[in-house]
């Protein structure tokens, strides 16, 4: 034996015996099986007690973690992959229905586990083509992701919509490839205004406290020297940026939405620098049905005063930040009235609705988050931030060089208008644009 030869990995760290791996894997299967059985019990009981849902969650998570630990002991055995995939499949039935994201995750893990088991169980000569085929599928999807920005080739559009979009969306490898092909699009931040009813005045009119919340926000969300945590949170806003571009192609919707918007144009005008039809951005159906209510519920529960979530509503604005081109940035004469890339007039707030908790008619005693006014005239429309006509009046230190129609719309209980939005008595109520720097 060569004394200078390096020992193999199996000599330094002996492999786990299959008996130990089997015990851990079967323990995980047992826990997830118990969660699935409780899921059947919960289906029979209407409505199921809250303690039952908690027990299902604990069993499902404990079972999948235990089965995953067993798989990590011997990833070279197809039986370990089969046990892991089976535990994940049972966890799908064990997790409560409203934990739909984890149901999706466990379903994908089950498919991966069973695919891994089949690959390892197959003869060695078949494994290389299988792994090579998956790698080819993966990188072909990335190629299609880079070519989806307009104008989109027909082949890319068909393959992306019919094959690759669900896969790339799940692993979140779709959006980032758009940023530099060929021009970066505008980034977005989310601005929320919470309105909490606190009582009534002497005339019996409701009184409200308001609070602005920005996501993400500097410096609160910059938790590392490179600002990676901030930019990770910035990607959250892109979930709400999936919209249909304007009203140009939908005649029926245009005939309803445009007159509704024009009816309030004397209060909040359209942006004069953009085509009216392009100022309407309808979110995609899954965003309007699921993502927006989820964000609204999170913000209310996180920021509403204790015990007052049921009396709090939230308005959501997706605020696009228009990137200046080189000429505008280098020469201030090309951007009159604006001296900074963070000037408020470079932002485009789109109103995404006002949400609040209402009684759930299907579950007595429960509440659900809901869009309060689907007929809101400004729903999904651009709320402009425009330069003040004529600039700041001489001798008036309170007027700002722009008119903040987002604050006027958000603080509707104050009945603000373009003339008094900069009144000092409202300065602590209107949105502070400096916090977006």
């Amino acid at each position: 034996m060569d004394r200078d030869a390096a020992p193999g990995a199996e000599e330094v760290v002996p492999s786990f015996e299959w008996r130990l791996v089997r015990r851990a894997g079967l323990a995980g299967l047992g826990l997830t099986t118990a969660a699935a059985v409780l899921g059947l019990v919960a289906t029979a009981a209407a409505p199921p007690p809250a303690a039952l849902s908690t027990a299902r969650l604990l069993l499902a998570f404990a079972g999948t973690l235990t089965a995953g630990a067993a798989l990590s002991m011997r990833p070279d055995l197809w039986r370990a992959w089969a046990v892991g995939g089976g535990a994940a499949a049972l966890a799908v039935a064990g997790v409560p229905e409203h934990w739909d994201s984890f149901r999706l995750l466990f379903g994908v893990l089950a498919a991966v586990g069973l695919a891994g088991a089949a690959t390892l169980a197959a003869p060695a000569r078949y494994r290389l083509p299988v792994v090579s085929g998956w790698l080819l599928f993966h990188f072909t999807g990335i190629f299609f992701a880079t070519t989806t920005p307009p104008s989109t080739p027909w082949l890319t559009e068909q393959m992306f919509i019919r094959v690759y979009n669900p896969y790339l969306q799940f692993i979140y490898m779709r959006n980032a490839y758009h940023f530099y092909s060929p021009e970066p699009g505008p980034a977005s931040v989310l601005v929320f205004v919470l309105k909490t009813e606190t009582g009534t005045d002497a005339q019996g009119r409701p009184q409200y406290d308001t609070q602005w919340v920005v996501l993400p926000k500097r410096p609160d969300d910059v938790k590392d020297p490179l600002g990676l945590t901030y930019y990770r949170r910035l990607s959250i806003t892109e979930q709400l940026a999936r919209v249909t571009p304007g009203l140009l192609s939908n005649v029926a919707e245009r005939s309803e939405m445009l007159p509704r918007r024009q009816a309030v144009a004397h209060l909040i005008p359209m942006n004069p620098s953009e085509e009216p039809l392009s100022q309407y951005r309808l979110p995609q159906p899954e965003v309007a049905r699921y993502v927006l209510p989820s964000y609204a519920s999170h913000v209310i529960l996180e920021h509403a005063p204790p015990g007052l979530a049921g009396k709090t509503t939230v308005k959501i604005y997706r605020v696009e930040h228009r990137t200046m081109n080189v000429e505008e940035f280098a020469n201030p004469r090309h951007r009159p009235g604006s001296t900074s890339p963070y000037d408020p007039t470079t932002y485009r707030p789109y109103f995404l609705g006002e949400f609040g908790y209402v009684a759930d008619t299907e579950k007595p005693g429960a509440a659900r988050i809901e869009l309060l006014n689907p007929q809101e005239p400004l729903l999904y429309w651009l709320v402009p931030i425009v330069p003040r006509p004529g600039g700041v009046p001489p001798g008036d230190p309170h007027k700002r060089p722009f008119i903040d129609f987002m604050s006027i719309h958000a603080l509707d209980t104050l009945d603000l208008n373009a003339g008094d939005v900069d009144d000092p008595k409202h300065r602590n109520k209107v949105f502070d644009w400096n916090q977006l720097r």
Side-chain angles (χ1 to χ4, degrees):
M1 176 179 179
D2 187 357
R3 289 191 229 175
D4 296 329
E10 65 278 0
E11 298 179 28
V12 177
V13 182
S15 299
F16 289 95
E17 295 183 3
W18 165 244
R19 181 178 56 183
L20 178 61
V21 176
R22 183 180 58 189
R23 288 178 181 176
L26 291 178
L29 276 174
L31 291 171
T32 52
T33 300
V37 171
L38 290 182
L40 296 175
V41 174
T43 303
L52 188 59
S53 296
T54 303
R56 293 171 63 188
L57 286 173
L58 293 176
L59 289 170
F61 283 115
T64 50
L65 288 175
T66 304
L71 173 58
S72 69
M73 295 177 186
R74 292 296 301 270
D76 58 318
L77 298 179
W78 71 267
R79 291 171 291 180
W81 283 87
V83 169
L90 288 168
V92 174
V95 172
E97 291 77 4
H98 58 280
W99 284 64
D100 51 349
S101 296
F102 276 95
R103 281 193 156 193
L104 174 61
L105 174 62
F106 288 140
V108 172
L109 291 178
V112 170
L114 297 177
T119 301
L120 288 175
R125 63 178 180 275
Y126 296 122
R127 296 175 191 170
L128 181 60
V130 169
V131 175
S132 299
W134 174 78
L135 289 174
L136 182 62
F137 174 85
H138 177 77
F139 285 103
T140 302
I142 292 178
F143 169 76
F144 282 125
T146 63
T147 57
T148 51
S151 57
T152 307
W154 179 85
L155 179 61
T156 294
E157 183 178 12
Q158 296 301 314
M159 291 296 293
F160 193 76
I161 293 176
R162 300 176 186 275
V163 179
Y164 282 104
N165 189 42
Y167 170 72
L168 294 174
Q169 184 70 26
F170 177 79
I171 61 176
Y172 202 69
M173 295 192 69
R174 178 179 68 92
N175 182 67
Y177 291 99
H178 293 187
F179 290 154
Y180 304 107
S181 61
E183 292 290 342
S188 298
V189 296
L190 299 181
V191 175
F192 307 85
V193 58
L194 289 91
K195 183 175 67 175
T196 303
E197 184 177 349
T198 57
T200 58
D201 60 11
Q203 286 75 35
R205 293 173 298 188
Q207 298 295 295
Y208 300 94
D209 280 342
T210 56
Q211 176 188 359
W212 293 93
V213 176
V214 177
L215 178 71
K217 182 179 180 181
R218 288 187 289 246
D220 299 356
D221 290 325
V222 180
K223 303 181 184 296
D224 62 277
L226 298 178
L228 182 61
T229 51
Y230 173 82
Y231 291 105
R232 288 294 187 187
R233 286 164 174 78
L234 192 65
S235 67
I236 296 175
T237 66
E238 294 302 318
Q239 296 296 325
L240 302 186
R242 291 179 282 149
V243 297
T244 56
L247 293 171
L248 298 176
S249 60
N250 194 323
V251 177
E253 192 167 12
R254 182 168 68 234
S255 65
E256 178 182 355
M257 298 303 176
L258 188 58
R260 187 185 300 170
R261 175 65 178 91
Q262 291 171 334
V264 295
H266 63 289
L267 300 174
I268 298 181
M270 292 187 175
N271 192 323
S273 63
E274 297 186 19
E275 287 291 331
L277 296 181
S278 67
Q279 299 182 40
Y280 180 81
R281 302 288 178 86
L282 177 67
Q284 293 184 359
E286 66 272 17
V287 174
R289 291 181 183 179
Y290 306 112
V291 182
L292 274 171
S294 175
Y295 283 27
S297 177
H298 169 78
V299 170
I300 290 177
L301 296 177
E302 186 76 13
H303 296 279
L308 294 180
K311 294 186 176 182
T312 300
T313 64
V314 60
K315 288 184 176 180
I316 305 178
Y317 299 85
R318 182 178 64 86
V319 183
E320 285 187 357
H321 189 197
R322 182 180 64 85
T323 305
M324 289 182 173
N325 58 42
V326 176
E327 291 77 13
E328 287 178 321
F329 188 76
N331 191 345
R333 290 179 300 175
H334 292 170
R335 42 188 170 98
S338 173
T339 59
S340 167
Y342 295 105
D343 188 275
T345 58
T346 64
Y347 291 91
R348 300 286 189 269
Y350 290 89
F351 178 55
L352 301 181
E354 182 174 10
F355 294 82
Y357 282 100
V358 299
D360 192 336
T361 56
E362 298 180 357
K363 299 179 180 179
R368 70 175 187 273
I369 195 77
E370 191 172 272
L371 177 65
L372 298 180
N373 183 12
Q375 306 301 317
E376 157 72 44
L378 280 167
L379 184 63
Y380 309 138
W381 283 92
L382 173 66
V383 183
I385 310 298
V386 297
R388 183 176 294 278
V392 178
D396 190 343
H398 303 299
K399 295 294 185 191
R400 296 181 289 183
F402 59 90
I403 301 178
D404 181 4
F405 284 104
M406 185 179 77
S407 291
I408 293 174
H409 178 262
L411 303 173
D412 53 352
T413 57
L414 299 180
D415 293 326
L416 300 178
N417 56 51
D420 59 14
V421 67
D422 291 334
D423 193 304
K425 68 180 180 180
H426 301 311
R427 185 55 59 89
N428 64 337
K429 295 285 189 181
V430 299
F431 184 68
D432 179 12
W433 290 93
N434 290 322
Q435 62 186 307
L436 296 186
R437 291 178 176 269

